[in-house]
Amino acid sequence: MPSNSEYLMYVPIFADLDDVTIQKIGSVGFSKKYSKDEIIFREDDPGSAMFVILTGKVKVVRTSNDGREVILTILSQYDFFGEMALLDGLSRSASVIATEESELFIIQREEFLNLLKLHPEISINLLQELTQRLRAADLKIKSLSLKDAEGKVATVLLQLAEEIGKIKHGVVEIDKLPLQQDLANMAGTSRETISRTLHSFAKKGYVELDGAKLKILNFDKFRDSYI
Ligand code: CMP
């Protein structure tokens, strides 16, 4: 089984660090396994640690008072989360739930803040990632406020393509599409609209659906039409 450091060297916010520093990061945290659907923490909890995904996937969600859920993003191997409450000292901005069995590397607040002070490369990489997340959030605001149902579903497919898709010869393949209810919670629409729109995209030849596998056949054209 790979050691924590063997995973940590592939984590983008720890890119460009030498082996000694990676080993050091490996020794300041610990790993913990979570089962599918386990809640890692809830929105409004106090935050005392940040998490790096060694294996698995999680969803970042906010819930309304009447129990409706919006999925802000899905994070997978080598992504991190839980940094916001450590940086601004406020409570957790969202809940995070494992969507499959996952192993997470956990770094406590003091250790994380020390790493940022001692290794400015980590701080710069972190800022880069947070900038990308802000861009993705801007796109989502545009989609939720300005787009029709088709545009909302397309935005979610583009988001998933970026996060978990694999590109080959202009075709993006998403191996394991989230459940239609989860797609609806990401798009801010209903499960029926997701089903109808995916079939309409398939009929128009934009996508190919095979069980939980989805291919966006001409990714550049699809992105340019819907972004
Ligand atoms: P924190 O607020 O500590 O706990 C919830 C975490 O979810 C947050 O830190 C971020 O790591 C992550 N998160 C919150 N909002 C988003 C978003 N829009 N995109 C990606 N990650 C997010």
Side-chain angles (χ1 to χ4, degrees):
M1 212 174 67
S3 67
N4 291 338
S5 312
E6 278 168 83
Y7 285 115
L8 293 175
M9 58 195 252
Y10 296 110
V11 173
I13 54 164
F14 300 139
D16 317 320
L17 298 175
D18 56 50
D19 289 352
V20 177
T21 311
I22 292 284
Q23 295 284 347
K24 192 173 99 188
I25 299 172
S27 67
V28 298
F30 61 96
S31 66
K32 186 171 169 197
K33 288 196 170 126
Y34 290 83
S35 43
K36 180 171 164 22
D37 297 329
E38 191 170 346
I39 297 172
I40 296 153
F41 55 70
R42 287 177 206 271
E43 182 179 335
D44 289 335
D45 279 354
S48 60
M50 66 88 73
F51 300 74
V52 175
I53 304 175
L54 301 182
T55 61
K57 273 196 189 71
V58 304
K59 60 180 176 180
V60 177
V61 303
R62 293 198 68 153
T63 320
S64 65
N65 289 340
D66 60 2
R68 280 175 305 144
E69 179 184 89
V70 57
I71 299 181
L72 302 177
T73 193
I74 292 179
L75 301 172
S76 53
Q77 191 175 40
Y78 307 137
D79 283 328
F80 64 87
F81 60 90
E83 78 297 344
M84 286 171 61
L86 302 195
L87 292 171
D88 65 11
L90 300 178
S91 54
R92 295 296 189 192
S93 61
S95 305
V96 181
I97 301 165
T99 57
E100 54 186 64
E101 197 180 87
S102 302
E103 185 169 6
L104 307 180
F105 185 74
I106 305 174
I107 307 179
Q108 296 298 325
R109 180 196 193 104
E110 278 310 305
E111 305 287 2
F112 178 60
L113 296 179
N114 273 338
L115 286 174
L116 295 184
K117 284 182 202 147
L118 286 173
H119 303 284
E121 311 93 290
I122 304 180
S123 306
I124 291 169
N125 292 338
L126 180 71
L127 283 172
Q128 257 168 16
E129 175 60 31
L130 294 182
T131 307
Q132 279 167 23
R133 288 183 184 182
L134 187 55
R135 282 183 190 274
D138 288 352
L139 199 66
K140 193 156 202 149
I141 293 170
K142 177 177 163 186
S143 168
L144 291 174
S145 48
L146 301 178
K147 291 190 178 167
D148 57 12
E150 194 173 276
K152 287 180 184 170
V153 180
T155 302
V156 167
L157 294 186
L158 289 169
Q159 185 188 347
L160 288 167
E162 294 284 342
E163 288 163 0
I164 55 173
K166 289 183 215 117
I167 189 153
K168 209 167 154 192
H169 307 305
V171 175
V172 167
E173 192 168 320
I174 301 168
D175 265 347
K176 219 171 140 204
L177 205 60
L179 297 175
Q180 291 201 348
Q181 186 58 55
D182 283 338
L183 290 173
N185 293 349
M186 292 175 82
T189 182
S190 67
R191 200 196 58 74
E192 292 73 19
T193 301
I194 294 289
S195 170
R196 188 169 18 86
T197 310
L198 285 179
H199 284 104
S200 146
F201 283 161
K203 225 168 158 185
K204 289 179 186 163
Y206 297 169
V207 305
E208 220 173 76
L209 264 168
D210 177 13
K213 203 180 267 187
L214 178 129
K215 281 185 190 163
I216 303 175
L217 297 174
N218 185 340
F219 182 68
D220 285 345
K221 192 167 163 211
F222 188 76
R223 188 185 47 209
D224 292 348
S225 315
Y226 286 105
I227 207 144

